[in-house]
Amino acid sequence: DQQVKQNSPSLSVQEGRISILNCDYTNSMFDYFLWYKKYPAEGPTFLISISSIKDKNEDGRFTVFLNKSAKHLSLHIVPSQPGDSAVYFCAASERGSTLGRLYFGRGTQLTVWP
Amino acid sequence: SQTIHQWPATLVQPVGSPLSLECTVEGTSNPNLYWYRQAAGRGLQLLFYSVGIGQISSEVPQNLSASRPQDRQFILSSKKLLLSDSGFYLCAWTADSNQPQHFGDGTRLSIL
């Protein structure tokens, strides 16, 4: 059972425009959410995170929004650049667990074209 | 700064052969360590995790095993590989459960 879902396998955006990647989760115990970026033949790279006590976190061109009532989060990239083309994974965890296990979505392939 | 190393980067093995993938972390002590597998078109599936030397937990029953002989060394093994073991294997570490996990560059394993 997929507890973290990314329903769009791909997204194509023109350079300079906004990219919005979406993620839904089902487990109400999740309180820590992360986005990873992955290039082919490389491991995922941590991008940005948000705790459930917040509804927004910004880091440069990247902003993550959390809607706890809808169990939905999104990653906004503004402005999008060709170098942002990669697979983006959403992940979630329960911070109180000693394991810190992450549950991942299946990823969204973002393509930014000139 | 902390770094994580995985090797080999790619591996082609025949069915029935053994497997050993190694992961080491530098620049930190007593990390939590994880092995994941990404099958084609799928997300990352957690295989094993370890919170200390000799402490291994498995998430799913499978043909693989893991060991942690040293604090910053995590090994993924199999005695006899199956075709279904093909995939992209990733090692990750974190200082504690409140921090992001950081991944190695992975091993692409192809079983023939």
Side-chain angles (χ1 to χ4, degrees):
Chain A
D1 182 31
Q2 196 84 5
Q3 297 190 55
V4 176
K5 298 178 182 179
Q6 294 176 257
N7 292 319
S8 297
S10 63
L11 175 67
S12 184
V13 171
Q14 188 175 24
E15 181 179 7
R17 304 268 183 143
I18 184 171
S19 295
I20 301 177
L21 298 108
N22 293 304
C23 178
D24 298 292
Y25 61 96
T26 58
N27 189 340
S28 58
M29 298 299 291
F30 288 153
D31 56 5
Y32 184 48
F33 305 89
L34 308 91
W35 283 95
Y36 285 84
K37 175 180 178 180
K38 184 181 179 303
Y39 293 116
E42 293 183 9
T45 302
F46 169 68
L47 201 54
I48 192 169
S49 64
I50 187 167
S51 165
S52 60
I53 62 173
K54 293 185 174 182
D55 53 20
K56 177 182 174 182
N57 188 27
E58 278 184 87
D59 184 1
R61 296 186 297 113
F62 303 91
T63 303
V64 56
F65 294 91
L66 176 62
N67 182 333
K68 290 183 289 293
S69 61
K71 294 191 178 69
H72 177 83
L73 65 155
S74 60
L75 174 68
H76 293 211
I77 307 174
V78 183
S80 301
Q81 299 173 353
D84 296 329
S85 298
V87 176
Y88 289 78
F89 289 100
C90 170
S93 73
E94 293 178 54
R95 253 181 158 164
S97 72
T98 53
L99 167 63
R101 178 201 169 141
L102 291 179
Y103 294 82
F104 284 87
R106 295 189 176 186
T108 297
Q109 171 70 57
L110 172 66
T111 302
V112 180
W113 46 282
Chain B
S1 65
Q2 301 89 358
T3 55
I4 181 169
H5 303 280
Q6 267 189 261
W7 65 92
T10 59
L11 191 59
V12 180
Q13 292 283 97
V15 170
S17 63
L19 173 74
S20 180
L21 302 181
E22 189 162 342
C23 170
T24 59
V25 181
E26 296 176 357
T28 187
S29 296
N30 198 32
N32 289 354
L33 295 172
Y34 309 84
W35 278 110
Y36 290 87
R37 175 170 59 203
Q38 184 188 13
R42 306 291 298 273
L44 279 68
Q45 180 188 32
L46 180 64
L47 302 176
F48 300 95
Y49 60 91
S50 172
V51 297
I53 295 175
Q55 299 178 58
I56 309 295
S57 297
S58 173
E59 277 293 300
V60 294
Q62 57 206 313
N63 185 43
L64 303 167
S65 62
S67 61
R68 185 170 176 174
Q70 299 180 42
D71 181 43
R72 291 168 288 176
Q73 184 185 29
F74 206 21
I75 298 173
L76 183 69
S77 305
S78 173
K79 291 182 179 177
K80 283 187 179 182
L81 286 167
L82 306 173
L83 281 173
S84 58
D85 291 324
S86 292
F88 191 50
Y89 288 83
L90 289 156
C91 180
W93 76 274
T94 185
D96 61 61
S97 61
N98 294 319
Q99 303 295 324
Q101 291 180 21
H102 299 279
F103 288 81
D105 281 337
T107 296
R108 173 71 59 192
L109 176 63
S110 300
I111 311 299
L112 303 179

